[in-house]
Amino acid sequence: MLMSKILIIEDEPAVCKLLVYNLEKAHYQTWVAQDGVQGLSAALQWKPDLVVLDIMLPQMDGLEVCRQLRQSSAVPILFLTARTEEIDRVLGLELGADDYLCKPFSMRELLARIKAILRRAAPLPSAPSPTFQMDPAQRTFTVHHQPLVLTKLEFDLIAVLMTHAGQVFSREQLLQVAWGYDYFGDTRAVDSAIKRLRAKLREVAPDEDPIEALRGIGYRWKAA
Amino acid sequence: MLMSKILIIEDEPAVCKLLVYNLEKAHYQTWVAQDGVQGLSAALQWKPDLVVLDIMLPQMDGLEVCRQLRQSSAVPILFLTARTEEIDRVLGLELGADDYLCKPFSMRELLARIKAILRRAAPLPSAPSPTFQMDPAQRTFTVHHQPLVLTKLEFDLIAVLMTHAGQVFSREQLLQVAWGYDYFGDTRAVDSAIKRLRAKLREVAPDEDPIEALRGIGYRWKAA
DNA sequence: AACTCTCTGACATTTTTCTGACACAAAACT
DNA sequence: AGTTTTGTGTCAGAAAAATGTCAGAGAGTT
C-alpha cells in the first residue's frame, strides 16, 4: 500500500494544521474538509483510505456524517472526541467506527493507530495507476505495476525525489539525504547514480524520463 | 459470538481482580495467568479469543511472551503498558499487537477496545503461496504439500518471513525476532541460517528461491 | 565559437553476500 | 557415562553486486 489517502473532517483550523503537517511528514496524502457536508462529498469523490472524523462539527455532527457515509462506503473511520463520554454514543450506535482517540492526543499515538487501521484494512484493488509507484515500507518500486529491482542507493535516491516531486535538490543535498550525513566524496557520484537509475527506468518506460536535470542547480522528479 | 474467552496475563493481583470483575460483569469468560510461562501454557490449551498482556512481567517480559505466542497462534493481543515509550518497542517490531492501553486506564475504555478488537477479529484469509505452506500451530512446513523437516531456528526464521511476506527485515531485526531479544552475536549468523534454509528449500523446489536478499538492507520472503 | 555543465561508458575499488569447513554445544542414543 | 548425531555460530575466502572515479562526448548557454 503506498501513499494512503487520509481525509480529515475537522473544523478547528489549529487541529487541522497539526494533523496535516504530521500526516504528510509520515508520507500520507491528506485532504481537509471543514464540515460534515464537505466531508461527505470529499469522501465519496476522493475515496480516501481512512477518515479522521471529529465528533463535534458545525451543522451536521460526526455521528450523522458517519451514518450517511456508511450507506455508501466501508472506509475505516477514526473518531476524534473531546470527551470520553461521547465515545459511548458511537459504540452504542454500532456505527462501525474502527477506532477513536480522545483529545488531547499525542501525535505518536495517532500515527500508531492510523498505521494499525491501515494495516488491518484489506488491500482492496485500488483504482489509480500512475506509471511510477513506490512503497517506502516494503522498499519496492513499480512501473506500470511491474516491480523494478532497485539497489539501496537507487531506492533511497528515488524515494527522496518522488516524495518531493517538483522540488529541486542540489547534488550536495542529495548526498546528504540519500548517501548520509557523514559521506564525503565527489558530487559526481550523484551523476553516476542518476545515470544508472535512468537506465533502469528507460528499460521499462522508454518515453517517460521523470528525472529532470536543472543546469547548475541539481535534479528533481518531474512534478505530476 | 457467545461468551468470548479472555486470557489475562498480569502479575499485579489488584489489577487482575479489577479486570476479572469487570470482564465477567460484561459477560466474558476469563482466565488469569500470573507470569509469562503460565500465560503461554494457558493460551495454548485454553485457546482464548483475546489475550490481555502486561508488558512488565516477572522473568519473561510481555514482548517475549508475545513473540513465543505468535509462533503458534494468531490470537489478538491487547498490551497493557505502564509507560508510553514501551509501546514503541512493540510497534517497532511489528509483532502483531492488535491494540494497547497505557496504565492507568479507565475500565470503560478497556471494555470498548476489547469489544472493538473482537468485532474486528474476522477470520484471516491467510493466503499462503501455493508451493510453500506453514502452520504455526503445528510448526509444520510443507512444499507442494510434502512436509519438510525444519529445525527450530529454521522454522522461526521462515515463520517471521512468511507471515510478513514482502516486508524486508534487517539482520538485526531477524536476530531479535527469531533468535530472541537477549541474543547477542554476529549478524552473520543470519547469513548462515538463511544459507541452510535455502539449501533445504532447493532440495525440494529447485526453481523457487523465495528468500530474497536485498543488499545493504536485509532479507525478505518473496511477496505473493 | 567558447565555455560550462551534464551524460555516458569503461574501469577500479569497495562493499556485501554466499558457501564450505570447522569447532563446539546440545540432544539423542547406547 | 560415553558415544554418536544434530544444530548452529564463526571464520575465511570466493563470488557477485554496487558504486566511485575518470575521461571524453554531448548538450545547453552566452
Side-chain angles (χ1 to χ4, degrees), chain B residues 115-135:
Chain B
K115 197 171 159 191
I117 292 175
L118 291 176
R119 176 164 50 79
R120 261 177 232 139
L124 283 176
S126 81
S129 62
T131 51
F132 303 103
Q133 287 186 313
M134 182 214 33
D135 180 355

Side-chain angles (χ1 to χ4, degrees), chain B residues 98-138:
Chain B
D98 289 78
D99 207 341
Y100 62 89
L101 266 182
C102 293
K103 296 179 185 176
F105 48 84
S106 80
M107 202 38 74
R108 180 174 51 203
E109 176 149 31
L110 179 76
L111 289 173
R113 293 207 178 281
I114 285 178
K115 197 171 159 191
I117 292 175
L118 291 176
R119 176 164 50 79
R120 261 177 232 139
L124 283 176
S126 81
S129 62
T131 51
F132 303 103
Q133 287 186 313
M134 182 214 33
D135 180 355
Q138 300 194 228

Side-chain angles (χ1 to χ4, degrees), chain A residues 22 30 32 48 57 63 65 87 108 121 143 168 170 195 199 204 206:
Chain A
N22 282 282
T30 59
V32 174
L57 288 174
L63 297 181
V65 174
I87 203 58
R108 181 175 50 201
V143 182
V168 196
S170 71
K195 169 192 63 176
V204 285

Side-chain angles (χ1 to χ4, degrees), chain B residues 162-181:
Chain B
M162 278 189 79
T163 52
H164 300 82
Q167 187 183 333
V168 196
F169 290 88
S170 70
R171 289 177 172 71
E172 286 77 10
Q173 283 179 310
L174 290 174
L175 280 180
Q176 283 227 327
V177 182
W179 274 253
Y181 297 99

Side-chain angles (χ1 to χ4, degrees), chain B residues 46-66:
Chain B
W46 190 50
K47 299 193 187 308
D49 299 299
L50 173 71
V51 175
V52 176
L53 177 56
D54 192 1
I55 288 205
M56 285 280 270
L57 288 173
Q59 291 147 25
M60 192 193 310
D61 90 342
L63 297 180
E64 180 61 20
V65 174
C66 172

Side-chain angles (χ1 to χ4, degrees), chain A residues 175-190:
Chain A
L175 280 180
Q176 283 229 327
V177 182
W179 274 252
Y181 295 99
D182 49 351
Y183 180 86
F184 291 97
D186 197 332
T187 59
R188 291 296 129 194
V190 178

